[in-house]
Amino acid sequence: MSNEADGKFNTVSVVGLGYIGLPTAAVLASRGLQVIGIDVSEHAVATVNAGKIHIVEPDLDIVVRSVVSTGNLKATLIPQAAEAFIIAVPTPFKEDHQPDLSYIKAAAETIAPVLQPGNLVILESTSPVGTTEQLAGWLAQCREDLSFPQQQGEKADINIAYCPERVLPGNVLQELVANDRIIGGMTPRCAARAAGLYQIFVRGECLLTHARTAEMAKLTENAYRDVNIGFANELSVICDRLKINVWELIRLSNRHPRVNILKPGPGVGGHCIAVDPWFIVSAAPQEARLIRMAREVNDGKPNYVINKALKAANQFKQPVIGCFGLSFKPDIDDLRESPALAITLALVDAKVAEILVVEPNVKQLPDALTRREVEKVHHNEALERANIILLLVAHKEFNGLSSDFLNEKVVIDVAGVLNH
Ligand code: SAJ
């Protein structure tokens, strides 16, 4: 259903130069388009214009340096006219788990003054169902001289689509190009035009649908993963009670041809899976029972681990806990929304044990820990000095930890490090 003729874009503006916007802008620029990156942060704009990056993502620095030096990518604080606009700003939730759409509203108000007939506006931010229509409403309020799909359908001056990102942090450049893309148009023409833009760099398939279905698809993918991780986390707690090794149990159960249980862990971190399912719950609170429960199970896991470690500490006169891993998942340096970090901080604040932190992926511990004078040590030192070994993240550096040391310790293996 995609229309090749619709794929002619020369200038694209990307609003939000974060974890999704910057790689997308850089990849579009690497295909020869003129890309304008808009951000509210002077630091982000200056960094990108210097050919550097302000986020952590493998190889992104190389692509950004190259497209900035050719002049294909320019960052700015001030919106400029373009043929297509991609909005990739955050959509956090508020205290009560209600979605906060203020960044999208601000993005709409930013681009509205420079919109021209024939423009395509794409929303990529993970959003509750109906947000694309809401975005179209905000744009229409700002520009009464233009027509929008909710008013004029296929004849509208402006085309609007929702195209969720699906990339895995740490593997963004590869997945941006390789993954299939869901393209949700407010009308079929909106979808076809958006597909034309993505086909410039996406090697996966572009799957066309309505904006609302595309919004729900994004939430569904992350809620599906959350529910499955919740199942694994609940199993781990049940297995503790029944004195069964959950890792062996899962390995054996997964030998069934139709069973594929995910891994338990310290909880669910990152900025997507722990957030997005709430957008479904807040839209359908009565119906979304399993999805809410999975959130609660996963959010409850850090406390369970903290209590287990404190109970172990009670057995020692001078407890020393070695916390292995701080990041929100293995082999990355991203500490944001990390359950391992939350657990470590809670153990420090409990003041019942000395805490040693092992995190091979960061040079410096975060301020919250240095302020509390927590020591970062190599894993061998932690193995030597700690009497409780708390394995929080399965970093590759922890494979094959010396069992000579471990035999004499209380080992709490939350991440399945010893069962690889
Ligand atoms: N986790 C487990 N057990 C597992 C898998 C993950 O405890 O078996 C934990 C991780 O340790 C981490 C959290 O879940 O704390 C999330 O990690 P992740 O690797 O599952 O996902 P993210 O947050 O890095 O990226 C997800 C991806 N979504 C899906 O796989 C459905 C990615 O494709 C999305 O683009 C991204 O969310 C996003 O931006 O929405």
Side-chain angles (χ1 to χ4, degrees):
M1 183 179 159
S2 68
N3 181 345
E4 283 300 320
D6 283 328
K8 300 269 185 289
F9 292 94
N10 298 310
T11 53
V12 176
S13 180
V14 178
V15 186
L17 293 175
Y19 278 82
I20 302 303
L22 184 55
T24 305
V27 169
L28 276 167
S30 74
R31 299 297 189 273
L33 276 75
Q34 288 301 317
V35 181
I36 304 149
I38 305 176
D39 205 285
V40 289
S41 154
E42 282 180 29
H43 170 68
V45 167
T47 309
V48 171
N49 282 334
K52 298 191 179 130
I53 60 174
H54 57 291
I55 56 175
V56 181
E57 183 57 41
D59 299 332
L60 182 61
D61 53 341
I62 300 168
V63 187
V64 168
R65 194 185 318 134
S66 149
V67 292
V68 169
S69 73
T70 59
N72 287 83
L73 174 62
K74 291 191 178 79
T76 168
L77 295 161
I78 300 149
Q80 291 171 25
E83 289 156 341
F85 293 83
I86 296 177
I87 298 175
V89 295
T91 39
F93 57 59
K94 301 183 222 162
E95 289 290 299
D96 53 356
H97 293 136
Q98 294 301 314
D100 175 1
L101 301 184
S102 59
Y103 294 86
I104 297 181
K105 187 163 191 253
E109 287 162 0
T110 301
I111 64 168
V114 296
L115 279 184
Q116 293 169 347
N119 279 173
L120 169 67
V121 178
I122 294 173
L123 178 62
E124 280 206 13
S125 312
T126 301
S127 302
V129 174
T131 307
T132 310
E133 289 155 1
Q134 172 83 76
L135 165 69
W138 285 322
L139 291 173
Q141 270 171 20
C142 296
R143 290 295 299 269
E144 285 177 1
D145 56 319
L146 293 172
S147 64
F148 292 83
Q150 69 275 28
Q151 304 158 334
Q152 296 281 330
E154 297 292 43
K155 292 197 212 101
D157 290 329
I158 306 293
N159 292 128
I160 300 180
Y162 180 72
C163 307
E165 57 81 17
R166 290 171 143 175
V167 289
L168 199 68
N171 199 23
V172 167
L173 286 177
Q174 203 264 334
E175 292 207 0
L176 205 51
V177 174
N179 290 359
D180 292 342
R181 236 23 236 230
I182 298 180
I183 314 272
M186 281 187 72
T187 67
R189 172 149 172 75
C190 295
R193 287 200 70 207
L197 179 60
Y198 285 100
Q199 279 159 352
I200 294 172
F201 66 94
V202 171
R203 275 207 317 269
E205 241 183 283
C206 288
L207 307 159
L208 275 52
T209 182
H210 189 271
R212 290 177 73 87
T213 311
E215 288 163 343
M216 188 60 182
K218 170 69 196 184
L219 303 180
T220 300
E221 290 161 13
N222 281 351
Y224 170 86
R225 196 156 167 84
D226 196 45
V227 167
N228 282 281
I229 298 169
F231 181 79
N233 276 331
E234 185 164 297
L235 260 188
S236 71
V237 175
I238 294 169
C239 282
D240 271 359
R241 177 176 285 272
L242 302 181
K243 302 201 172 8
I244 289 169
N245 179 327
V246 69
W247 302 96
E248 185 193 7
L249 173 82
I250 291 175
R251 198 166 52 239
L252 295 174
S253 301
N254 281 350
R255 296 294 286 268
H256 184 290
R258 283 174 297 282
V259 173
N260 185 14
I261 303 167
L262 294 181
K263 298 189 191 85
V268 168
H271 348 284
C272 312
I273 295 192
V275 176
D276 305 353
W278 287 117
F279 294 174
I280 300 179
V281 175
S282 76
Q286 300 297 323
E287 294 80 5
R289 292 182 297 160
L290 184 59
I291 295 171
R292 178 203 297 269
M293 186 57 83
R295 272 289 65 245
E296 287 168 1
V297 168
N298 287 331
D299 275 354
K301 191 69 193 287
N303 254 339
Y304 176 80
V305 175
I306 293 163
N307 288 333
K308 207 169 156 179
L310 291 177
K311 211 166 145 197
N314 268 338
Q315 301 168 27
F316 294 91
K317 264 207 188 108
Q318 286 187 313
V320 181
I321 305 178
C323 294
F324 283 60
L326 279 187
S327 59
F328 90 83
K329 62 180 182 176
D331 303 323
I332 58 166
D333 59 0
D334 194 339
L335 306 184
R336 292 171 309 158
E337 315 299 329
S338 168
L341 175 58
I343 291 165
T344 304
L345 276 169
L347 291 175
V348 173
D349 288 343
K351 294 190 168 62
V352 295
E354 182 186 352
I355 307 295
L356 305 173
V357 173
V358 183
E359 178 48 77
N361 296 298
V362 300
K363 283 200 191 85
Q364 257 197 327
L365 291 184
D367 286 350
L369 285 173
T370 48
R371 233 184 291 128
R372 291 167 167 87
E373 294 176 5
V374 175
E375 228 184 310
K376 174 174 169 336
V377 297
H378 185 267
H379 61 253
N380 284 335
E381 186 179 343
L383 283 180
E384 216 167 305
R385 285 172 54 194
N387 36 34
I388 298 161
I389 305 294
L390 182 57
L391 300 167
L392 291 170
V393 188
H395 291 316
K396 60 180 184 314
E397 286 83 357
F398 303 157
N399 285 343
L401 287 182
S402 168
S403 50
D404 294 351
F405 281 116
L406 290 175
N407 286 339
E408 300 151 20
K409 317 276 177 180
V410 173
V411 179
I412 304 174
D413 188 3
V414 182
V417 172
L418 304 178
N419 288 277
H420 266 206

